[in-house]
Amino acid sequence: MTTGGAVTKDEFRERQARATEAAAERGFDALVVWARGGTSVDFYGDVLYLANHHSPFPPNQDTPQWSARSYSGLVLPVDGEPALVIDLPEFDADRIHIDDIRSTLHVPQRLAEVLREKGLDGGRLGLAGRDTLLVSHLRSIEQELGHRLVLEPADDILER
């Protein structure tokens, strides 16, 4: 899988496939993987493990100009292509191993748009990275969707 110590794109795809397979076995329609950048690996490790991305920005208070600056969200559908929502206006797409990358200064709202676009906003969703998802960010996602979002704990899928 790896050559010269580097993790290959194929290995990232295999990691994503194993995660979606485990999600399907649990009856999830998708995994939402949430991460906080600018901190230790235990806060951004799941997105790094699946997509090779983490934000270098430290966590900041939300303002009218941005929300969830330093955070990223990966939508990993059981059926369909994944999408990664990041807070960086400029990024190296060749280093990130997700084809659909959405750059925004409003991460929760864009994540909600992705869920809606993929028909997952009413589905059964597992959440990995729940210790990094702030209630204010969850409420922003829900406000964008227009309803309460139920995210079931799924950290154990990636811990395996």
Side-chain angles (χ1 to χ4, degrees):
M1 296 295 152
T2 61
T3 54
V7 179
T8 66
K9 187 171 188 163
D10 288 341
E11 186 167 331
F12 280 100
R13 300 290 188 210
E14 287 178 28
R15 292 173 180 182
Q16 295 163 20
R18 286 193 310 268
T20 56
E21 182 179 306
E25 288 172 5
R26 292 262 296 272
F28 292 130
D29 297 308
L31 289 178
V32 173
V33 185
W34 192 258
R36 181 174 85 186
T39 59
S40 60
V41 72
D42 52 330
F43 289 116
Y44 62 77
D46 291 337
V47 171
L48 182 68
Y49 176 77
L50 292 169
N52 199 36
H53 169 76
H54 89 281
S55 176
F57 285 93
N60 289 285
Q61 293 288 347
D62 289 352
T63 71
Q65 291 78 29
W66 65 67
S67 51
R69 185 76 169 155
S70 153
Y71 291 81
S72 53
L74 173 62
V75 176
L76 198 59
V78 168
D79 294 312
E81 294 300 313
L84 178 64
V85 181
I86 64 174
D87 69 324
L88 302 174
E90 296 179 18
F91 55 91
D92 183 357
D94 292 333
R95 291 183 52 118
I96 299 174
H97 298 295
I98 298 289
D99 294 331
D100 184 359
I101 303 168
R102 316 282 179 103
S103 173
T104 182
L105 291 177
H106 298 282
V107 176
Q109 294 84 347
R110 182 63 58 88
L111 185 102
E113 291 170 9
V114 169
L115 290 172
R116 185 182 305 111
E117 174 187 307
K118 293 183 175 293
L120 297 167
D121 56 319
R124 186 162 178 244
L125 304 175
L127 173 65
R130 68 177 182 233
D131 58 340
T132 63
L133 180 62
L134 301 178
V135 171
S136 61
H137 296 157
L138 176 60
R139 296 296 178 253
S140 293
I141 295 168
E142 292 173 338
Q143 184 176 8
E144 184 69 31
L145 292 175
H147 63 82
R148 184 172 181 265
L149 186 65
V150 177
L151 297 169
E152 298 180 40
D155 287 300
D156 61 298
I157 287 175
L158 294 173
E159 288 169 359
R160 288 187 273 151

